[in-house]
Amino acid sequence: MSKTPMGMRSEFVRQGNWLFRYRSYVPIVFLVPLIMAVMSMRWPFGSYQIHEYWEFSCLAVSFLGVGVRVFTVGHTPAGTSGRNTHAQVAESLNTSGIYSMVRHPLYLGNYLMGLGAVLVPMEAWLPALYTLAFWLYYERIMFAEEDFLRNKFGEKFSAWVAATPGFIPNPLLWRRPELPFSLRNVLKREYTGLALVVVLHTGIEALEHFVIERNVPIETFWVTLLATTGVAYFVLRSLRRHSKVLQVEGR
């Protein structure tokens, strides 16, 4: 990254800062190719049972992404790894725990959350397009974040970058987190991501049945998952907005 020409580096930072502000909304555009793929779905080998096994595997991939984010957020201090949208914020540099294995674990979690959904239609072009789009989109954001951190933390940041992969974790580098895991911090910050995963997969399930069978059956698993997640979402959202139950000192 340091070898990037100054003009291109400035342009990447500018683009990354703009994309950073709207990173929660711009990816919604990818719903278009996802819906297109679902609209042409058929049960693999004519078997709904095989499709179910595949669909639950894809859901597990998305939940793995949620798990990566949960582990990351659960061990991070205040002023880092946040949902701020207007500008970069970092009161300290995370280099322990999952940050000892990979520099951008939250974006890795985001990638896996979306990957699980785009794998469902079993169209090879869709996850390939998703991966390319994710790379082009988040590369700029990562570039801007690292430029900010380099300017703020100097040699400490440079040493961390030199030893730590950007996106694919290296478990051999693991160092124990400096802070204990905080469930309240996770509940305060990650309920929206979980809800989005459940809504997305449930929506795909309903649409695929409509496309293939021209009806939407009431399936106990999906109804229960959606209802439970919905209740949890509104309870946690209310607690966050109207109480201090989920507040954790230093988080």
Side-chain angles (χ1 to χ4, degrees), residues 50-76:
I50 293 177
H51 166 74
E52 274 202 318
Y53 291 142
W54 176 250
E55 190 162 40
F56 288 137
S57 298
C58 295
L59 182 62
V61 172
S62 290
F63 279 157
L64 175 61
V66 173
V68 171
R69 288 191 59 92
V70 164
F71 186 79
T72 303
V73 170
H75 288 288
T76 53

Side-chain angles (χ1 to χ4, degrees), residues 66-125:
V66 173
V68 171
R69 288 191 59 92
V70 164
F71 186 79
T72 303
V73 170
H75 288 288
T76 53
T80 59
S81 306
R83 292 188 176 275
N84 47 295
T85 59
H86 296 293
Q88 306 286 351
V89 174
E91 295 178 7
S92 61
L93 181 65
N94 292 328
T95 59
S96 66
I98 196 168
Y99 283 95
S100 66
M101 299 189 301
V102 61
R103 301 200 303 273
H104 298 281
L106 290 176
Y107 296 149
L108 173 62
N110 290 353
Y111 173 75
L112 293 172
M113 288 163 67
L115 180 64
V118 301
L119 286 172
V120 174
M122 299 186 74
E123 294 280 0
W125 63 267

Side-chain angles (χ1 to χ4, degrees), residues 19-40:
L19 292 171
F20 177 84
R21 296 183 64 183
Y22 302 101
R23 69 193 187 281
S24 298
Y25 306 101
V26 175
I28 294 174
V29 175
F30 204 81
L31 287 175
V32 174
L34 175 59
I35 292 173
M36 289 172 57
V38 174
M39 292 299 290
S40 63

